[in-house]
Amino acid sequence: MLKLLKLLKDGRFHSGEALGAALGVSRSAVWKQLQHLEAELNLPVHKVRGRGYRLAAPLSLLDVEAIEQGLATPGWPTLIYDEIDSTNAQALRAVSGGQQAPFLVLAERQSAGRGRRGRNWASPFAENLYYSLVLRIEGGMRQLEGLSLVVGLAVMQTLRAAGVSAAGLKWPNDVLVNNRKIAGILLELVGDPADVCHVVLGIGVNVNMSINNEVDQAWTSVRLETGRQVDRNQLVAQLNENLQAYLERHRHEGFTGLQAEWEQGHLWQGRAVSLIAGVNVVEGVVLGIDRQGALRLEVEGVEKSFSGGELSLRLRDDS
């Protein structure tokens, strides 16, 4: 089925006879595979008598060589899967199996993609980026301070370079465009964070998705914002280079060297917000972040800092 998909990925018409000859199967076998494409991968196929078959839209399939061609310097070893439960879960399994970090896990589709606080992450086939970079961290907690925010900076700059000029940050782990989510970040640790550990930098970016009824919040994509199909291999290469640059700065300068830049990209600076932690809600005004990446709020005239993976930030209605 994937061989057929690679023949059709250009979005042009191909006759059943030509497809059958390329695959070494009958025209009826081609027809059955086309039905599987539509049913299993939710990829609409246009069928026109006398012209043949084509996908409703061209596909940009992930390819290690294409990614490396877009890099100015050698990248990380990259593992690409047609479908897995989640790239973060596969990355953690690879670490447990002895895979040497750093390495990158990508997938065309996730069957159980995860966001923060256990949310599902919609993962249609070959439309978005499902990206997990594994790093070995030595030297204790300082190397982890503000790390998810550093990743957010790299994602934001990648999106801006792709033409999404309005992309900005929302504390702690989201990238938004006009209050619509375009990317999210999920970091997971294994090992001893005070000594030696591995961290998985999980990144999901809405790239070519234009319709999806599974997402339960306002969202957008690079394609919707720019009006054009995006080469996902080029986007991966750009994200790799931006991540390498920001991670290097973070190693040498710590998060304090990136604090001001992050605040400049934060869309909710100075806004009235509600910070939700379970059943507790804190009302305040965003002052910025501290040197560890914690959120600084003015609460009833007093500055307070908040951090933690289970916190959720919302704009207040009167903001």
Side-chain angles (χ1 to χ4, degrees), residues 49-108:
R49 186 180 296 276
R51 300 190 68 187
Y53 311 97
R54 72 171 179 86
L55 295 177
L59 281 183
S60 167
L61 297 175
L62 296 170
D63 180 82
V64 171
E65 290 185 4
I67 293 169
E68 291 177 347
Q69 287 173 2
L71 295 170
T73 56
W76 298 292
T78 301
L79 309 173
I80 297 177
Y81 296 85
D82 295 325
E83 179 176 347
I84 51 176
D85 49 358
S86 84
T87 55
N88 266 29
Q90 180 60 33
L92 291 169
R93 285 192 291 267
V95 169
S96 297
Q99 178 83 29
Q100 294 296 306
F103 63 92
L104 175 62
V105 177
L106 302 171
E108 296 289 8

Side-chain angles (χ1 to χ4, degrees), residues 161-182:
V164 187
S165 58
L169 302 166
K170 175 202 164 188
W171 188 90
N173 290 342
D174 291 339
V175 183
L176 308 181
V177 179
N178 298 320
N179 287 327
R180 296 190 299 271
K181 189 167 181 174
I182 194 169

Side-chain angles (χ1 to χ4, degrees), residues 40-41 81-90 93 105-115 118-126 128-131 212 214:
E40 294 182 19
L41 301 183
Y81 296 85
D82 295 325
E83 179 176 347
I84 51 176
D85 49 358
S86 84
T87 55
N88 266 29
Q90 180 60 33
R93 285 192 291 267
V105 177
L106 302 171
E108 296 289 8
R109 180 169 70 166
Q110 299 180 122
S111 60
R114 294 176 288 133
R119 283 184 169 178
N120 292 332
W121 187 272
S123 307
F125 184 86
N128 302 326
L129 282 192
Y130 319 119
Y131 176 117
N212 195 300
E214 298 178 18

Side-chain angles (χ1 to χ4, degrees), residues 132-149:
S132 295
L133 174 65
V134 180
L135 302 175
R136 177 183 167 93
I137 301 293
E138 300 182 30
M141 294 296 291
R142 183 179 180 276
Q143 298 299 317
L144 299 171
E145 287 179 356
L147 186 56
S148 66
L149 279 67

Side-chain angles (χ1 to χ4, degrees), residues 288-304:
I289 52 175
D290 67 16
R291 293 182 177 184
Q292 287 75 45
L295 182 70
R296 296 166 48 237
L297 291 183
E298 181 183 320
V299 181
E300 298 180 346
V302 178
E303 179 177 325
K304 296 183 178 181

Side-chain angles (χ1 to χ4, degrees), residues 4 15 43 82 88 117 140 167-168 172 178 196-197 207 218 221 228 259 265 277-278 280 304 306-307 312 316 319:
L4 174 60
S15 72
L43 292 174
D82 295 325
N88 266 29
R117 307 195 337 271
N178 298 320
V196 177
C197 66
V207 184
S221 67
R228 64 178 184 271
Q259 180 181 354
N280 299 314
K304 296 183 178 181
F306 300 87
S307 62
S312 177
R316 283 220 313 257
S319 176

